[in-house]
Amino acid sequence: MTTATTDSLHIVCPHCDAVNRLPQSRLREQPACGKCQKDLFTGQPVDLASARFLKHVERSDIPVLVDFWAPWCGPCRSMAPFYAQAAKTLEPAFRVVKVNTEASPDLGARFNIRSIPTLALFVGGVEVARQPGATDANGIIAWARDKARL
């Protein structure tokens, strides 16, 4: 983690992409963005593409869980409600995002995504784990927590 102090975390706003510094003790207090005043955590996956994705992965001090998916993929569509359910449980300890590989083929290529859906976990800007294939909400939650060691 690249925090200014051991108690402070950088959290990227899912709405305006501003980087907020927040005391770790305030994560569960429904914090708002200092720039746009919207909630930093919505309990829903954040749809990200290219530059926005990189900012969230590289600047967030919390783990970033990513679902690489495509709209034509049946297993992706069947996993989507489970992923949304997992987001409600995992936030605010994680930033939960989705990347449409059809809309952002550069990210699919950059991260060598060969099958979808694929879950990837980033900690400190680095991919630390990957799991291809659809799973249910409990499987997503357990996998993310285990791989992030939370």
Side-chain angles (χ1 to χ4, degrees):
M1 290 187 183
T2 57
T3 57
T5 67
T6 56
D7 185 48
S8 181
L9 297 173
H10 291 110
I11 306 295
V12 181
C13 177
H15 307 285
C16 71
D17 299 326
V19 179
N20 291 262
R21 189 165 24 165
L22 184 72
Q24 191 166 5
S25 60
R26 291 204 45 235
L27 273 181
R28 298 204 178 273
E29 296 176 8
Q30 298 178 326
C33 176
K35 182 177 179 184
C36 72
Q37 305 305 310
K38 294 182 180 176
D39 289 340
L40 287 175
F41 298 100
T42 63
Q44 292 294 318
V46 180
D47 288 313
L48 296 178
S50 302
R52 289 189 71 213
F53 173 82
L54 295 175
K55 187 168 190 177
H56 281 262
V57 166
E58 293 170 355
R59 298 294 309 272
S60 289
D61 286 333
I62 58 174
V64 179
L65 177 63
V66 183
D67 173 19
F68 289 97
W69 71 286
W72 52 262
C73 169
C76 297
R77 289 193 315 269
S78 68
M79 189 175 87
F82 296 125
Y83 195 67
Q85 183 181 353
K88 291 177 185 171
T89 299
L90 291 171
E91 284 190 351
F94 290 79
R95 169 67 70 212
V96 179
V97 305
K98 295 177 71 75
V99 171
N100 178 343
T101 58
E102 289 289 298
S104 298
D106 57 317
L107 291 177
R110 178 178 181 158
F111 293 102
N112 200 27
I113 302 302
R114 296 288 178 230
S115 65
I116 52 174
T118 291
L119 294 177
L121 184 65
F122 293 82
V123 176
V126 177
E127 183 179 343
V128 297
R130 180 181 291 209
Q131 175 178 301
T135 188
D136 64 12
N138 289 334
I140 294 166
I141 293 164
W143 180 83
R145 285 179 173 162
D146 177 61
K147 298 304 178 187
R149 308 282 190 262
L150 297 178

